Amino acid sequence: AGVPCHPAGAQPSQLTLNPPWTPVFLLEKVTLTCRGSGVPGPTDWYIDKQLQWQAGSDHIHVSKDHPWSGSYQCRSSGARLSPPVTVSFSNDWLVLQVPAQALLEGDALPLRCRA
């Protein structure tokens, strides 16, 4: 099976992280959810622009058991590839977290200090 054909006008998939902060404490689990056109079908998951797996579910869990740091993207059926979301893990005692989603110039940047 080849790469599914998506219409030129298809909207990009949207990848969200819950909780939406990075870096992630090594003992925590985050859920990545891919939203697209609503067309039934598998979801392609990429790390650092490389296709890693295809799943029937629109979400994956990333935790200490699978601490894959990197730039995540997804493509749901009938939609284009999502913008990247960077996920990193830390085993430090104290971390300064930033939103996982990209911000635009001029946007406020919330910071979160966690121990």
Side-chain angles (χ1 to χ4, degrees):
V3 175
C5 181
H6 301 298
Q11 293 296 309
S13 303
Q14 294 298 318
L15 179 59
T16 57
L17 191 66
N18 184 29
W21 300 92
T22 189
V24 179
F25 276 116
L26 206 53
L27 296 178
E28 293 184 320
K29 177 174 73 174
V30 293
T31 302
L32 282 74
T33 303
C34 190
R35 297 276 184 246
S37 63
V39 174
T43 300
D44 295 335
W45 294 94
Y46 295 78
I47 302 176
D48 296 331
K49 300 185 180 178
Q50 298 293 316
L51 179 62
Q52 298 297 318
W53 61 90
Q54 195 175 64
S57 175
D58 67 354
H59 63 275
I60 58 172
H61 301 292
V62 183
S63 67
K64 66 180 175 61
D65 299 321
H66 303 288
W68 294 309
S69 294
S71 177
Y72 281 73
Q73 290 174 282
C74 71
R75 182 171 56 209
S76 66
S77 188
R80 297 198 324 267
L81 194 63
S82 72
V85 173
T86 299
V87 180
S88 61
F89 287 84
S90 173
N91 60 359
D92 290 335
W93 288 99
L94 189 68
V95 294
L96 183 63
Q97 294 180 315
V98 297
Q101 300 297 114
L103 296 173
L104 297 174
E105 185 177 349
D107 285 351
L109 174 62
L111 299 173
R112 191 166 84 152
C113 188
R114 295 193 61 213

